[in-house]
Amino acid sequence: QVQLGESGGGLVQAGGSLRLTCAASGRTFSAYAMGWFRQAPGKERELVARINYDSRFTNYADSVKGRFTISRDNAKNTVYLQMNSLKPEDTAVYYCAAHGDYYKFRSPDYWGQGTQVTVSS
C-alpha cells in the first residue's frame, strides 16, 4: 500500500503564497499519478491539480490555473503544490491523493489526511 501525509497548510493573507507537501511511502511511488483535491465547507470536493508519473503531464482546475503549480520529486517520494496569489475562495482542506491511472484520477486509490489552508481577505 501507499500512505500519504500532507503538510504546509496554514493561515495566509490574500495575495500570499503557500507550498503544500505530500510525503508518500512505498518503493513504487514513481509509478503513481499524484494529485491534490480540496473541499470547502458546504462545497463539493474538487480536483485542483494532477501530475503523471514522470511529470510529463499536468492538469489544473480552471479556478487555479496560472496560480498553482504541482510538481513531484520521485527520488524523495514527495509531491508539492505551490500556491501563489491566494484568494479567500481557496480556503479549504487540501488532500493529497495517488492513483495508478492519470486519466482516471477522480477516484484515487490512496488519500492523505488533509491539511487546512485558510486565506484571509
Side-chain angles (χ1 to χ4, degrees):
Q1 67 170 351
V2 175
Q3 294 187 15
L4 307 173
E6 304 97 331
S7 63
L11 175 64
V12 297
Q13 291 184 301
S17 297
L18 204 61
R19 188 178 76 162
L20 305 183
T21 298
C22 176
S25 67
R27 293 171 59 90
T28 60
F29 170 80
S30 62
Y32 288 87
M34 301 294 297
W36 291 90
F37 290 81
R38 68 185 182 186
Q39 188 163 26
K43 302 195 72 174
E44 192 174 69
R45 185 183 65 196
E46 177 186 25
L47 175 61
V48 300
R50 54 178 166 164
I51 186 168
N52 85 316
Y53 75 100
D54 64 358
S55 301
R56 291 291 296 264
F57 304 101
T58 58
N59 182 259
Y60 300 91
D62 288 342
S63 58
V64 306
K65 284 181 179 177
R67 300 188 298 118
F68 289 12
T69 303
I70 188 170
S71 61
R72 66 190 296 164
D73 186 340
N74 289 344
K76 297 181 178 180
N77 287 0
T78 303
V79 63
Y80 306 94
L81 185 67
Q82 179 66 46
M83 304 183 293
N84 298 325
S85 301
L86 283 162
K87 305 174 181 179
E89 51 262 44
D90 295 319
T91 295
V93 177
Y94 284 71
Y95 298 91
C96 180
H99 201 289
D101 190 340
Y102 174 79
Y103 299 100
K104 298 180 180 178
F105 212 92
R106 290 180 60 86
S107 300
D109 297 318
Y110 303 99
W111 292 90
Q113 81 286 350
T115 185
Q116 176 71 47
V117 172
T118 302
V119 184
S120 62
S121 60

